[in-house]
Amino acid sequence: MEEEPAAAVARNRKVVLRGYIDRAPREDDMELVDGGEVALRVPGDAGGGPAVLVRNLYLSCDPYMRGRMRDFQGSYIPPFKPGSPIEGFGVGRVVDSTHPGFSAGDIVSGMTGWEDYSLITKPEQLTKIQPSDIPLSYHLGLLGMPGFTAYVGFYEICSPKRGEFVFVSAASGAVGQIVGQLAKLDGCYVVGSAGTNQKVELLKEKFGFDAAFNYKEEPDLAAALKRYFPEGIDIYFENVGGPMLDAVLLNMRVHGRIAVCGMVSQHGVTAPAGIHNLYTLISKRVEMKGFIQSDYAHLFPQFVDDITKHYRDGKIVYVEDMSVGLESGPAAFAGLFSGKNVGKQVVCVSQD
């Protein structure tokens, strides 16, 4: 019997977590290391079941990943392991596969490692991306987890009605920019907040928000919201928490809805800010609900169909902030927490 030829090999760089943190992430909390050579073939002992080896093309930077950088086991997703590659959503090209659903050359999206090559031992969690006119990186934003978060949060939690007043915080980010555009498509009045005047202009000129403001230039957030919503807020899509949430609570209308998607202002805080105005939930009969997009996985095909149609019809636009090279990943991720990104933050690892 002839021996099977040796598999080709490649160098595999990795971005690893250096250690757990209890503050906002910094670039030096992560380190690019040489992971040595990797055989470009699924190994025979790949966890005992079918597996897929991918070359990572694009990696997603998402605020929830901050929660995995602390030593806390009580969340819906386990923490990263110090010294091991960071994990996140990515788009990659299949190099080799022992799973019947995937073949070399396929483009897939799903959870992967921050490295050049990743061995996926749960390939059933991957999604095959069909060739189309939509940029591959958009499957990490517009057609990925952030887009789906916007979609289910707005429609399933907020139940919008034409003519309602909608406020979106962190509105130029990966989720907020889509929420605002969906709200406009549904005939709502939409205001967004952001942290720079450049982002404020983007909200109004690019995404079609009715109004927007720089929250850093507002000494009294409750008064600012009263100025933009003299009749109050029907729907608040919550991305930041802290003082903004407190101010919104004072400005909600009766039977308003708040979808709690994230609280990025609290991610690097060891003593999170307290909320003082929760009593308005009672007097205004406001519904406030936290959610995770994966709880609504059954709606994902409908979401892809709807958003793809809106995009192709020119009814939704999307803005990315692309960093090039795996080595740029730590700075790109850390920048999320100081508002450096304009639009969805993505790292381009390879385009081949």
Side-chain angles (χ1 to χ4, degrees), residues 57 90 121 143 150 166 175 198 207 224 230 246 293 341:
L57 304 178
T121 56
L143 295 175
V166 177
V175 176
Q198 174 195 12
F207 301 134
D246 236 0
Q293 51 83 30
N341 59 302

Side-chain angles (χ1 to χ4, degrees), residues 154 158-167 183 186-190 210 229 232-235 253-257:
F154 188 60
C158 297
S159 303
K161 302 179 189 68
R162 178 169 292 277
E164 288 193 313
F165 300 100
V166 177
F167 176 52
D186 271 46
C188 298
Y189 175 82
V190 186
D210 294 290
F229 295 98
I233 300 167
D234 291 297
I235 291 173
R253 300 181 80 185
V254 172
H255 299 304
R257 288 86 70 204

Side-chain angles (χ1 to χ4, degrees), residues 20 30-31 65 97 107 125 164-165 201 237 265 295 304:
Y20 291 125
M30 297 152 276
E31 182 179 16
M65 296 164 65
S97 171
I107 303 295
Q125 297 179 359
E164 288 193 313
F165 300 100
E201 289 307 306
F237 204 97
S265 74
D295 290 343
V304 171

Side-chain angles (χ1 to χ4, degrees), residues 49 140 156 186 210 239 272 330 336 347:
L140 297 178
E156 298 297 309
D186 271 46
D210 294 290
N239 287 306
L336 285 180
V347 176

Side-chain angles (χ1 to χ4, degrees), residues 189-213:
Y189 175 82
V190 186
V191 178
S193 64
T196 70
N197 291 332
Q198 174 195 12
K199 292 178 181 179
V200 167
E201 289 307 306
L202 188 70
L203 292 174
K204 294 187 290 186
E205 302 300 324
K206 184 84 172 178
F207 301 134
F209 283 56
D210 294 290
F213 64 91

Side-chain angles (χ1 to χ4, degrees), residues 119-251:
L119 182 66
I120 312 295
T121 56
K122 295 182 179 178
E124 64 277 3
Q125 297 179 359
L126 295 174
T127 300
K128 189 184 297 188
I129 298 174
Q130 301 301 330
S132 77
D133 56 333
I134 297 177
L136 288 178
S137 56
Y138 279 25
H139 290 271
L140 297 178
L142 180 67
L143 295 175
M145 182 273 290
F148 192 44
T149 297
Y151 185 87
V152 299
F154 188 60
Y155 289 118
E156 298 297 309
I157 308 295
C158 297
S159 303
K161 302 179 189 68
R162 178 169 292 277
E164 288 193 313
F165 300 100
V166 177
F167 176 52
V168 186
S169 56
S172 69
V175 176
Q177 60 176 282
I178 301 174
V179 174
Q181 292 179 85
L182 291 176
K184 287 302 298 177
L185 285 173
D186 271 46
C188 298
Y189 175 82
V190 186
V191 178
S193 64
T196 70
N197 291 332
Q198 174 195 12
K199 292 178 181 179
V200 167
E201 289 307 306
L202 188 70
L203 292 174
K204 294 187 290 186
E205 302 300 324
K206 184 84 172 178
F207 301 134
F209 283 56
D210 294 290
F213 64 91
N214 184 343
Y215 69 89
K216 293 179 181 177
E217 295 182 349
E218 298 290 348
D220 185 335
L221 290 174
L225 290 169
K226 183 69 174 177
R227 192 166 74 243
Y228 285 100
F229 295 98
E231 297 181 55
I233 300 167
D234 291 297
I235 291 173
Y236 174 42
F237 204 97
E238 166 68 302
N239 287 306
V240 299
M244 184 66 83
L245 175 58
D246 236 0
V248 166
L249 287 168
L250 292 177
N251 283 276

